[in-house]
Amino acid sequence: MTQRLRCDETPAWTALQAHYEQVGRHFDVRADFEHNPDRFAQFSQQAPHVFADLSKNRIDAQAEALLLQLAEQCGLVEHRDAMFAGGCINSTEHRAVMHYLLRNQAVAATSQEAAAPVLRGAVADAAMPEVNATLRAMLAFAEAVRADEQITDIVNIGIGGSDLGPQMAVVALQAYAIPGKRFHFVSNVDGDELGEVLTQIRPHSTLFLVASKTFTTRETMTNAHSARQWFLDQAGPGADLGRHFAALTTNLEAAQAFGIRTTFGFRDWVGGRYSMWSAIGLPLAIAIGEAGFRALLGGAHAMDQHFLTAPLAKNLPVRLGLLDVWYRNFHGFSSRSVAPYHHGLRRLPAYLQQLEMESNGKRVDVHGRALSYSTSPVVWGEPGTNGQHAFFQMIHQGTDIVPVEFIAVREPAHDMPGHHAQLVANALAQAQALLQGRSDAGGHRHFPGNRPSSFFVMERMEPVTLGALIALYEHRVFVSGSIWGINSFDQWGVELGKQLAQDIQPRLATGDVHGLDPSTAGLLRQFRPRF
Ligand SMILES: O=P(O)(O)OC[C@H]1O[C@](O)(CO)[C@@H](O)[C@@H]1O
């Protein structure tokens, strides 16, 4: 990997620090709206399927210009192009990062057209035949399951990226889901979760999907083995495990050894949290069918094209990623709240927590050198309007500034009179209140205002728009991670806890506390009589 300038060593970083001290620290968005009639136009844009208004953020044209210089001086374009050329940018795992190839097709692609990818080049040309063959096989299987009236319940067993993406999308696209089938997602090793699902299903009408990139994740394997045992016990003699289990994994051998004969694979260049476009998306494909799944891929691909080709100043993932850097490193904001004003997007905050914090929660750069600046903010949220009646108090009047991201659609999927207008009015009003504040009352009733927010608008919640929205988030995370000079595609931070759990589990049975710190030893004794 070529040595790039670290972001805090660039002239643009120094200029941004000076600009923050002179202007940014006291920048009042309301005053800028008064002086600058073009502010809304300057800081809003239409990207594929997503309109974004960033004008309520604490950013001015000069800050954005300096951030674009920062991007240039940090080699953002070269890094992006290296990813799209199949370069080994996940350097700590020696892997390329090419999940975008999984959606390398135009929105209207049929299965024939999909054979002609839009992104070309040696790497894409080499990978696409296998990508398309797997996609076709997986979608054919999805269609067969959809047509199989005997199968009423689909149970996805997976965790992290093998759960959050497909679950978020199945929930979001409920209006497009095939009637007569129920979708369950089991991720936690807490037996309560699997146990609850097992009380709702019958073996002969259930399809279990064991989703695990590695097919070694302990939680998933424990749940899969328990599900298999339950199936064999319940189905009795002649139970056809092969008909009722399928695996979605890069480790086809391990899946076969488990006794599964229907497997759908993908390559190691698809990271777990970037895998909903791969075979990991099978539950979603069963829910929304081939046409829906292809539309989802097409929407994401449209965003890929935008990220690849739009000038940086009008490139939405770039603008968002740079805004994240501005807020995190210069304003010092440590969290961002996501407020989807759409009931279907209620799992989006959980999905984004993994996408953003597992990708960019790093304290060393790609060369392993400790960083002297902050990286990933905490990402959190709840759907509106619920959040308004819970934590928005803190966002309006608390001591910390929390940028909020509103997401709303123009067309609802329901036809309940009055609901959608009220929902949208609330989203607009919250963003307005955060900006304007209230100074006609003092003390407890005073709202300081000038609290930043972004607002995303989509036509409706449908496969193509969801695909574009998620790809937008993926690329935005890439942009901030790239500026920070970290590897957004590894996750070594999850390893230590996994290893220690393996050491502790047998100790729960034996009571051996040798070598443990006093707190862990004391806590282990709290559980001892149970094991
Ligand atoms: O799909 P797998 O291999 O079971 O991994 C599940 C999840 O575990 C992690 O590797 C780490 O927790 C995630 O990145 C991943 O999405």
Side-chain angles (χ1 to χ4, degrees), residues 43 72 77 92 157 222 228 258 288 375 412 424 429 437 463 474 520:
F43 289 100
E72 198 186 313
V77 167
T92 61
I157 297 177
T222 301
R228 180 172 68 175
F258 182 92
I288 64 175
T375 57
V424 170
E474 287 180 352
T520 307

Side-chain angles (χ1 to χ4, degrees), residues 79-110:
H79 194 207
R80 175 198 68 186
D81 292 349
M83 174 170 74
F84 278 93
C88 182
I89 65 164
N90 177 357
S91 50
T92 61
E93 295 180 317
H94 313 291
R95 289 175 187 164
V97 174
M98 302 201 292
H99 49 274
Y100 55 83
L101 284 183
L102 300 166
R103 54 216 191 194
N104 187 11
Q105 54 181 289
V107 174
T110 64

Side-chain angles (χ1 to χ4, degrees), residues 159-162 212-214 217 220 272-273 354 358 491 494 498:
I159 197 165
S162 299
S212 176
K213 178 176 168 179
T214 54
T217 303
T220 299
R273 52 195 174 274
Q354 186 197 19
E358 198 172 76
Q491 56 285 317
V494 303
K498 285 186 198 173

Side-chain angles (χ1 to χ4, degrees), residues 417-433:
H419 284 249
H420 194 58
Q422 192 176 334
L423 179 75
V424 170
N426 269 280
L428 293 171
Q430 289 298 321
Q432 186 188 23

